[in-house]
Amino acid sequence: MIEIAALVTWLITALGGFYMLGTWIARGGVRQNKTGDSRLPTSVVFGHFLLAAAGLVVWIVYLFAATAMLAWIAFGLLVPVALLGFALLLRWIPVRRESVARHGVGAAPVAEPPAERGFPIVIVVGHGLFAVTTVVLVLVSALGLG
């Protein structure tokens, strides 16, 4: 049952991640990364996405094969995913703070704000909370405690 809960939380996490990735790309994040206007490195953004997607695929295979090694591989993939995600969060926080500060009285509009400024805080927080839950559930499953 914990394995299915991990799948559900992983899928919810992925939905939030897809939303943020789509927003970042649509607002020119890749181009802005080349000009220095985005604080999120393209390699980190796509590395986070690709490792998370690979881990999800491994987890789905694990659900069918029930091989403990696959659970550990999925968990092993989640570790760098979490580290990259935390690095992205740390780079996003100043962008969020600047956005709040700039929208004050008399703030001058920015010609082209960083693409990641478009991330709704509820999506960022939800993505992070579901990600932490997923990591814990996958670890519990890999340890055989579920």
Side-chain angles (χ1 to χ4, degrees):
M1 192 63 169
I2 287 179
E3 293 86 358
I4 300 300
L7 176 64
V8 170
T9 60
W10 205 324
L11 290 171
I12 293 169
T13 303
L15 288 175
F18 281 133
Y19 178 85
M20 288 187 287
L21 179 62
T23 299
W24 188 73
I25 291 170
R27 292 180 181 231
V30 175
R31 178 182 39 76
Q32 287 182 350
N33 192 260
K34 293 175 185 171
T35 63
D37 293 327
S38 174
R39 292 211 177 120
L40 305 184
T42 303
S43 59
V44 177
V45 170
F46 285 104
H48 177 72
F49 164 72
L50 292 172
L51 285 171
L56 179 57
V57 169
V58 170
W59 189 252
I60 291 169
V61 172
Y62 162 72
L63 291 177
F64 287 102
T67 304
M69 182 58 72
L70 290 173
W72 283 109
I73 291 170
F75 178 75
L77 288 168
L78 279 178
V79 171
V81 169
L83 293 173
L84 291 173
F86 191 68
L88 291 168
L89 175 66
L90 290 177
R91 295 182 69 97
W92 174 80
I93 288 171
V95 172
R96 175 70 182 168
R97 286 186 180 153
E98 287 174 10
S99 176
V100 171
R102 287 185 192 268
H103 290 1
V105 177
V110 176
E112 185 176 26
E116 56 271 19
R117 187 173 293 168
F119 299 166
I121 195 163
V122 68
I123 300 291
V124 173
V125 171
H127 181 73
L129 291 174
F130 277 100
V132 169
T133 304
T134 301
V135 170
V136 170
L137 291 173
V138 168
L139 178 60
V140 167
S141 295
L143 289 170
L145 301 176

